[in-house]
Amino acid sequence: MNYQQMAVPPRSAHLWRYTPWPRIHPTKPEELPHADAIDFSFDSFAAESFQRSEKSADIARVFLEESGGSSHRLVIDGKGETVHIHARASGHIAVGHLDLIVKGEATVLLHLSGEAGWCGVHITGQVKANSHLGFGFINELDPNTKMLRCEDWGIERDASLESATLSVGGFNCKSDLRANLNGTGASIRQSVTAHGQGARHDDHHIEIHHLHGHTYSDLVSNAACSGSSHFVATGLLAIAEGADKSDAGQVFRNLLLSEKARAEAIPELEVLADDVSAAHGAASAPIDPSQLHYLMSRGLSPEESESMIVNGFLIDAFSNLKNGELTEQMRTRLTVHLECELKR
């Protein structure tokens, strides 16, 4: 089924409750506009164009596939190196597809920037058996850009994916991130860090599917919201029938920095196996006044005190990662962002 034959998903659908499809569409829901290409540049790696063969049933993925844009495939046979990919979105509507095939061990950092009115990015990846990938996604788009992001990951036997998101750009962002643990011993550690300012709206939907036993997942999401910003995180941990000895956990934490800021945290578990470990948690709260008082009593201004607390809170989202290079790169970008905001 092509895009214009698909029905607009209702807001009763869990995925589209907080950011309905008409709100994230670049024009009108019935239209399929032609998109310019996101410009990808790869450090010391040669990427090839590719054409996706499988057809999705999800409206967002079908829309991104049929609207055009750029398509690149990167095959990495890694020995521990770090790969930086810079993606720049320009023009009215820009779309890009990136497919990663990873063998061995590598860290990949995707830096997304640009002043496009609307940006759509679809990332697909296969982490091959006994391979290990650290993947960082850094959203530093223009504050006026609307963004749709989809990710689809397959993690094979005894392979691991560590995925980190830093979301500080764009004004209306929708992310739909999905991962399948496709073999015994597969694991994923995932962290999401978001900073909401002004009227920024940032919606993350995350699904992790344990399709085999003896698999592991850990999801941590931390968001700090100021102004009238709104952050949404919905997480589904699904453990299939027969996937015994799976270990899955997710936690969402939100820091509310103003009276008008809002945050939604909706963790979900779908467990069809008997012998598993599964846990979830969520919390939203303002800054503890005693923490502000402690820092101000040592000579910091109220602004500096709040910035230090926010910095520590957001950095903590990366604490579940084991990849040192990925953690350091993400923390550095976050610190640079917060320092720039403090100077404004």
Side-chain angles (χ1 to χ4, degrees):
M1 182 181 296
N2 62 39
Y3 172 74
Q4 292 181 323
Q5 294 174 319
M6 303 181 78
V8 174
R11 293 193 67 169
S12 58
H14 188 75
L15 176 61
W16 303 107
R17 178 179 176 186
Y18 294 96
T19 310
W21 178 246
R23 182 176 178 183
I24 201 65
H25 192 283
T27 56
K28 299 178 181 179
E30 65 273 14
E31 296 179 350
L32 181 66
H34 175 74
D36 295 326
I38 291 179
D39 182 24
F40 288 93
S41 62
F42 303 86
D43 289 353
S44 67
F45 271 83
E48 58 186 31
S49 297
F50 80 104
Q51 185 70 36
R52 291 184 57 84
S53 56
E54 65 272 19
K55 193 72 173 179
S56 174
D58 172 70
I59 193 170
R61 288 162 173 80
V62 173
F63 178 83
L64 291 175
E65 181 181 348
E66 295 185 2
S67 58
S70 55
S71 296
H72 297 279
R73 171 171 286 153
L74 190 61
V75 179
I76 301 174
D77 193 354
K79 296 178 175 60
E81 62 266 47
T82 299
V83 181
H84 290 268
I85 303 173
H86 297 272
R88 187 160 187 84
S90 305
H92 178 50
I93 299 172
V95 170
H97 307 256
L98 178 64
D99 185 53
L100 296 173
I101 300 176
V102 179
K103 307 171 186 177
E105 183 174 348
T107 300
V108 176
L109 292 141
L110 176 59
H111 306 258
L112 179 62
S113 62
E115 301 81 26
W118 191 91
C119 173
V121 59
H122 189 189
I123 299 166
T124 54
Q126 288 291 327
V127 186
K128 295 298 185 178
N130 299 296
S131 299
H132 307 283
L133 172 65
F135 178 76
F137 181 89
I138 303 166
N139 168 15
E140 296 179 314
L141 289 165
D142 184 86
N144 297 312
T145 298
K146 184 185 291 189
M147 184 195 76
L148 171 65
R149 167 191 171 203
C150 297
E151 289 189 12
D152 296 284
W153 293 95
I155 305 158
E156 297 182 6
R157 183 184 179 95
D158 294 322
S160 67
L161 170 65
E162 295 193 22
S163 173
T165 293
L166 175 59
S167 181
V168 298
F171 83 95
N172 185 6
C173 301
K174 172 67 177 180
S175 296
D176 180 6
L177 315 179
R178 307 185 190 187
N180 290 331
L181 299 175
N182 290 329
T184 302
S187 69
I188 179 171
R189 295 177 180 271
Q190 194 160 5
S191 69
V192 175
T193 295
H195 190 203
Q197 298 172 288
R200 185 171 188 259
H201 177 89
D202 195 0
D203 182 346
H204 281 74
H205 175 79
I206 303 161
E207 296 184 13
I208 300 174
H209 295 267
H210 292 250
L211 303 179
H212 291 263
H214 296 273
T215 50
Y216 175 84
S217 70
D218 183 26
L219 167 62
V220 176
S221 170
N222 283 13
C225 303
S226 62
S228 59
S229 63
H230 186 196
F231 178 76
V232 180
T234 56
L236 171 63
L237 295 181
I239 301 177
E241 185 176 358
D244 294 310
K245 302 297 182 181
S246 293
D247 187 349
Q250 59 179 330
V251 61
F252 301 98
R253 307 183 189 99
N254 301 308
L255 191 62
L256 303 177
L257 305 176
S258 69
E259 292 184 358
K260 293 184 178 181
R262 295 185 296 151
E264 320 286 343
I266 307 98
E268 286 189 300
L269 294 175
E270 181 182 288
V271 180
L272 302 180
D274 296 324
D275 186 9
V276 303
S277 175
H280 62 82
S284 298
I287 288 179
D288 185 345
S290 65
Q291 294 180 346
L292 281 174
H293 176 75
Y294 176 86
L295 293 172
M296 292 169 61
S297 68
R298 279 149 180 79
L300 297 178
S301 69
E303 293 77 17
E304 291 171 331
S305 300
E306 179 176 297
S307 178
M308 182 174 291
I309 292 170
V310 170
N311 189 22
F313 171 77
L314 292 179
I315 279 180
D316 187 61
F318 304 126
S319 62
N320 68 327
L321 303 177
K322 302 299 183 182
N323 183 314
E325 177 66 16
L326 176 62
T327 302
E328 182 63 27
Q329 292 279 350
M330 301 303 288
R331 287 179 172 176
T332 298
R333 291 310 309 163
L334 172 61
T335 300
V336 169
H337 162 74
L338 293 175
E339 288 177 350
C340 291
E341 293 300 321
L342 184 60
K343 294 176 182 178
R344 288 185 180 180

